Amino acid sequence: MPSPLHRYQAEFFKARAHLLRLCPSGAFREEGGVFQLDLARCVGCGRCVLGRPEAVEEVKRLEVAVTRREDLVQRVDLDRGGFLDPGPPPSPRTELRLPTLAFREVSAGDTGIADSEIALLGNPFNDMGRFGFQVVASPRHADALLVTGPVSRNMAEALRRTYEAMPEPKGVVAVGNEAISGGVFVGSPQVLSGVDQVVPVDVYVPGDPPRPGAILHGLMLLVGRMTQRLVGGGFALSSCHGLAPHSGSCAASSQGARGSFPPSTSPPD
């Protein structure tokens, strides 16, 4: 009869293997002794939550925007048996701490779902105007650029020119998983798989699509009015039973955050 520790290790191995098979978008990966979940690769199908509820849970949070791409990846060192800490995130740029913010949106090959969520920022419920945010028609009048889509090759030059036309100081927010990692289009020869392949990005807002509240959090993070909550794929100062949020499908999706993994790395008594 195997010991409790051996039984636990066997169950953890099965859970990892199952999650790798379940995920249609490759959000879960294992290589070099590290098991990881990339929140920006999640498509929100919910298979991991249904298939392994003991390993992945639903967390409904809106504060999912980050200033560093690595903070959307949750990594577990399989040899050491613990989460890898990427360190504190960088602070938002002080020159972008503006009382009001005018932004221009660029759809760089988006499917339209992230664009529709941005359009909802101006409705009476979200009312971005109360925070001093407004859309402008010209990049020459914009303080920030909101970009959606995986950046198709046909849109790369247009995106670059739009960015160059903006006055300094200027910021860029990548909205949605397609804009961050390429989403389901990653690997296609027709896309560049991410806004940061063309222009520098200040804030990443994960989700497929991200909720309007998550986009607002990204804008508030850009101007320094809110702090980053998601670090190394997990929420700071939150209790998730040892599980961090799986936000790609999740916290930023229209159905709330699905995700956290893996089971606690401490063996049972």
Side-chain angles (χ1 to χ4, degrees):
M1 180 176 180
S3 69
L5 176 59
H6 288 167
R7 287 202 306 269
Y8 170 79
Q9 289 175 333
E11 285 301 313
F12 186 29
F13 176 80
K14 282 194 234 178
R16 283 157 34 209
H18 194 197
L19 289 171
L20 289 169
R21 291 196 306 271
L22 279 175
C23 185
S25 61
F28 292 97
R29 290 179 58 195
E30 183 175 337
E31 60 182 356
V34 174
F35 187 64
Q36 70 177 41
L37 165 62
D38 189 344
L39 310 183
R41 293 290 301 274
C42 178
V43 294
C45 66
R47 293 181 185 180
C48 55
V49 178
L50 296 174
R52 284 288 173 176
E54 80 284 4
V56 183
E57 67 179 5
E58 184 169 3
V59 182
K60 297 181 179 179
R61 297 285 295 266
L62 292 174
E63 308 97 324
V64 293
V66 299
T67 58
R68 181 175 57 182
R69 173 68 174 90
E70 305 93 272
D71 285 321
L72 296 178
V73 183
Q74 189 179 54
R75 295 180 175 90
V76 174
D77 187 327
L78 299 177
D79 296 327
R80 186 171 57 86
F83 291 99
L84 296 177
D85 184 4
S91 301
R93 292 162 52 198
T94 55
E95 63 267 30
L96 289 172
R97 294 184 177 179
L98 306 170
T100 62
L101 185 82
F103 68 85
R104 168 81 168 131
E105 187 206 344
V106 173
S107 179
D110 186 60
T111 56
I113 54 175
D115 295 327
S116 65
E117 298 296 312
I118 291 177
L120 293 176
L121 295 180
N123 68 19
F125 181 80
N126 295 294
D127 190 16
M128 65 178 178
R130 63 192 157 132
F131 302 115
F133 302 145
Q134 63 173 324
V135 181
V136 291
S138 170
R140 300 187 189 281
H141 302 156
D143 304 305
L145 202 59
L146 268 62
V147 188
T148 62
V151 188
S152 62
R153 294 194 178 275
N154 289 340
M155 279 298 298
E157 183 60 26
L159 175 58
R160 189 177 294 107
R161 289 186 181 183
T162 302
Y163 176 78
E164 291 172 351
M166 296 170 60
E168 295 285 354
K170 54 190 174 185
V172 177
V173 180
V175 180
N177 289 351
E178 292 175 5
I180 298 171
S181 68
V184 295
F185 302 104
V186 66
S188 168
Q190 301 305 318
V191 301
L192 300 181
S193 299
V195 176
D196 56 10
Q197 302 299 310
V198 182
V199 297
V201 173
D202 296 280
V203 174
Y204 300 87
V205 184
D208 197 17
R211 297 165 66 184
I215 302 172
L216 281 175
H217 174 249
L219 290 171
M220 298 287 273
L221 183 61
L222 180 70
V223 297
R225 295 187 215 163
M226 293 190 73
T227 57
Q228 180 174 322
R229 301 293 186 187
L230 194 62
V231 179
F235 282 114
L237 304 176
S238 66
S239 174
C240 297
H241 310 290
L243 307 178
H246 166 9
S247 100
S249 71
C250 319
S253 83
S254 57
Q255 298 180 355
R258 280 191 191 95
S260 312
F261 90 99
S264 169
T265 51
S266 300
D269 295 330

